[in-house]
Amino acid sequence: MESEPPSSPQVVEDGGEEDEEELSGGEEADFRASSGRGSLLTRRGITLRVLLKDGLVEPGDGVLAIHYLGKNFVGDLLNDGKIRWVETGQIFNSPSAWATHCKRLVNPAKKSGCGWASVRYRGQKLAQYKTTWLHKYQPSADISLVSEEDDDEDDEEGKTAVQADEKNKNSKPGLHDVMVSRRTDRERIPVRYCSLGTRDAARDPHTLVELSAFSAINRFQPFNVAVSSNVLLLMDFHCHLTTSEVVGYLGGRWDTNTQLLTVLRAFPCRTRLADRDSASAVEEEICQNLFMRGLSLVGWYHSHPRGPALPSLQDIDSQMDHQLRLQGSNNGFQPCLGIICGPYYHGNQGVASTITPFWVVPPPEQRPNDYGIPVAVEVTYVQDNFLTSDVLNEMMLLVDYYRAAPDLVQFNQYWCPDTTMMDKIKGSLSCHAPKDQAYSQILEHVYSQLSSMH
């Protein structure tokens, strides 16, 4: 979670082995005079300060982002070319210093951050802005010679922007500059639960785990679940809007007589995962909405934007916490349903998101230090008669919230050679269509708002 910004921001200078050298004001003047933008420069000579002064980027709040192993980091670009990490207020001298620091928080063994290939400015890798600068001011430069520092980017980030552009030239004509490259998806291979063993602090908390069946652990599913199609539609819409992970809550009713959990409403959290200040206010608003509708909190959902819709070790622990907390609010058993939505994983079948309901069975008493066992939950999906104004209003609130977000999905880009991101979201949402066929005309207003966000 977010920590309070220090009163005097800490400046972090260490950027790892590949960090570019920052130039002082005098050195930068000498650099410009000696080069005249005519001599061949390596990319290490091009800093954020250079890009700012030449107008290729502009300072702004939240315009920088890093996506690494399922974690998202957001930064402000300052007037002097330095980076302020939004979560802590720390100041970093360069993209590489910030990327290395953030990646080491997730993976302590990480030695370098490959900052210019990892940090994105308004959704585009900074490496692309270096390329643009070179094309503009040094058109004779051999890009293959000046991009060496980007070539060692780790698998999670995929190929550099320059390499991706070159490879995409062989794809459908005219799409190489807007294609969403499948190579940027990190292939996170799930492991079987039986291979985990006892908890290990050195194990990556983002390790994905295959779901077991209740029958495989000699259990019966202790409750039945029915989920409204409008819940799936709103949840799927929320997860499609951004390349960052999103979270929301599920409202419904628990019938102790029939042991039926009915999920009737999704409540998207219109806040950033690291934004602790606004999280409490958002949760309070959701609690009031639940109370006003006579609903109870019955679960939660979150997205794996570009990965499989399977729980990570961290998700398993979070789900167990939710189960215990919800059960503690009553003096009897009440289940808590977890749902993972994977909208942009290219392993999905067609354009439809993969939606995975799951639950966690506590480890055996004789093995209390094992991880909880993630199990697949069988669900009955109930088709609603029509799209409610309540759901439409929530969709428009989400559109307004993400309108200026740096990680907003670009719906004019291509999901695959013959399908745009707009086609993708329309196709996925159609899987949760209500019985009233007029819903598609109703949603056209929402889609038009998405199109106008670019």
Side-chain angles (χ1 to χ4, degrees):
M1 291 299 290
E2 175 182 353
S3 57
E4 295 297 326
S7 55
S8 178
Q10 174 188 358
V11 178
V12 180
E13 297 180 351
D14 179 22
E17 297 172 354
E18 41 61 87
D19 190 14
E20 71 279 353
E21 181 181 356
E22 288 294 317
L23 305 175
S24 66
E27 289 173 330
E28 189 170 296
D30 293 341
F31 155 74
R32 290 174 178 276
S34 62
S35 69
R37 292 201 181 105
S39 60
L40 180 62
L41 302 175
T42 68
R43 291 189 171 205
R44 293 180 188 273
I46 305 170
T47 65
L48 275 177
R49 192 182 300 120
V50 171
L51 297 183
L52 281 166
K53 290 191 175 182
D54 287 333
L56 271 73
V57 297
E58 296 178 351
D61 294 341
V63 296
L64 300 176
I66 296 172
H67 310 296
Y68 181 66
L69 296 182
K71 289 293 185 182
N72 300 300
F73 306 89
V74 179
D76 304 331
L77 178 56
L78 306 181
N79 292 322
D80 59 1
K82 293 182 180 179
I83 298 169
R84 178 173 58 221
W85 184 19
V86 170
E87 187 167 345
T88 64
Q90 289 172 280
I91 305 295
F92 296 84
N93 281 336
S94 68
S96 297
W98 183 41
T100 300
H101 180 81
C102 292
K103 290 186 177 184
R104 283 176 179 168
L105 293 176
V106 179
N107 176 15
K110 186 70 177 170
K111 293 183 179 180
S112 64
C114 301
W116 286 81
S118 301
V119 179
R120 295 174 182 267
Y121 172 79
R122 299 189 184 279
Q124 299 248 5
K125 290 184 180 182
L126 284 176
Q128 292 176 274
Y129 291 91
K130 280 190 175 185
T131 303
T132 300
W133 190 95
L134 286 165
H135 279 310
K136 185 174 182 179
Y137 296 114
Q138 291 191 347
S140 61
D142 184 348
I143 302 300
S144 65
L145 295 177
V146 296
S147 60
E148 293 176 358
E149 72 166 300
D150 294 332
D151 289 343
D152 64 351
E153 177 59 315
D154 56 273
D155 293 339
E156 184 273 337
E157 295 293 343
K159 300 297 182 182
T160 65
V162 178
Q163 292 170 315
D165 284 346
E166 291 299 319
K167 290 187 178 181
N168 281 339
K169 287 178 182 177
N170 297 322
S171 63
K172 187 172 180 178
L175 299 185
H176 67 272
D177 57 342
V178 293
M179 176 75 78
V180 178
S181 173
R182 297 191 180 199
R183 289 185 297 275
T184 61
D185 292 354
R186 177 175 175 80
E187 190 63 32
R188 297 164 64 187
I189 307 299
V191 302
R192 300 183 66 182
Y193 176 81
C194 60
S195 70
L196 293 175
T198 306
R199 285 181 178 272
D200 183 357
R203 189 184 291 274
D204 183 358
H206 303 100
T207 300
L208 298 180
V209 183
E210 293 179 356
L211 294 180
S212 301
F214 276 101
S215 59
I217 56 174
N218 298 317
R219 300 266 190 119
F220 291 102
Q221 183 171 311
F223 51 87
N224 297 313
V225 181
V227 179
S228 153
S229 63
N230 277 344
V231 169
L232 299 175
L233 188 142
L234 180 54
M235 178 179 64
D236 199 12
F237 180 77
H238 185 199
C239 296
H240 267 93
L241 294 181
T242 170
T243 58
S244 299
E245 187 173 313
V246 301
V247 171
Y249 291 103
L250 303 173
R253 297 188 178 92
W254 167 240
D255 189 323
T256 56
N257 295 320
T258 61
Q259 298 289 288
L260 175 63
L261 186 74
T262 307
V263 184
L264 299 170
R265 178 72 156 81
F267 294 91
C269 291
R270 294 188 299 277
T271 184
R272 296 289 175 177
L273 294 185
D275 190 352
R276 188 173 59 184
D277 292 337
S278 64
S280 58
V282 169
E283 289 182 357
E284 178 61 29
E285 180 184 353
I286 290 175
C287 286
Q288 291 177 4
N289 283 331
L290 284 166
F291 178 77
M292 286 168 43
R293 290 168 172 79
L295 302 177
S296 300
L297 180 64
V298 296
W300 67 300
Y301 71 86
H302 73 286
S303 66
H304 288 178
R306 292 195 174 104
L310 292 172
S312 65
L313 294 177
Q314 182 173 284
D315 295 335
I316 291 170
D317 286 343
S318 296
Q319 173 65 17
M320 181 63 75
D321 287 343
H322 285 307
Q323 290 175 192
L324 294 173
R325 198 172 294 123
L326 203 57
Q327 187 170 330
S329 64
N330 277 311
N331 291 323
F333 171 78
Q334 177 182 336
C336 173
L337 183 68
I339 297 180
I340 302 173
C341 178
Y344 294 116
Y345 178 51
H346 280 286
N348 294 345
Q349 296 296 317
V351 297
S353 300
T354 299
I355 295 177
T356 304
F358 76 106
W359 200 59
V360 173
V361 174
E365 290 186 3
Q366 64 271 25
R367 299 182 62 87
N369 293 324
D370 283 8
Y371 295 96
I373 307 169
V375 289
V377 174
E378 293 186 6
V379 171
T380 299
Y381 296 109
V382 180
Q383 187 180 28
D384 287 300
N385 290 322
F386 54 87
L387 204 59
T388 65
S389 58
D390 205 24
V391 171
L392 282 171
N393 181 60
E394 192 66 53
M395 293 173 80
M396 293 309 300
L397 290 174
L398 286 169
V399 169
D400 288 340
Y401 178 77
Y402 287 105
R403 186 177 298 276
D407 50 1
L408 172 72
V409 168
Q410 303 298 305
F411 289 100
N412 58 343
Q413 290 186 342
Y414 280 79
W415 161 245
C416 62
D418 57 355
T419 305
T420 65
M421 301 298 266
M422 182 62 75
D423 296 330
K424 162 78 175 72
I425 188 173
K426 287 182 178 181
S428 189
L429 295 191
S430 69
C431 299
H432 321 301
K435 294 177 181 177
D436 179 9
Q437 295 303 308
Y439 86 97
S440 56
Q441 286 80 23
I442 297 173
L443 284 183
E444 280 307 314
H445 175 63
V446 178
Y447 295 142
S448 67
Q449 291 297 307
L450 291 181
S451 299
S452 68
M453 292 163 72
H454 307 296

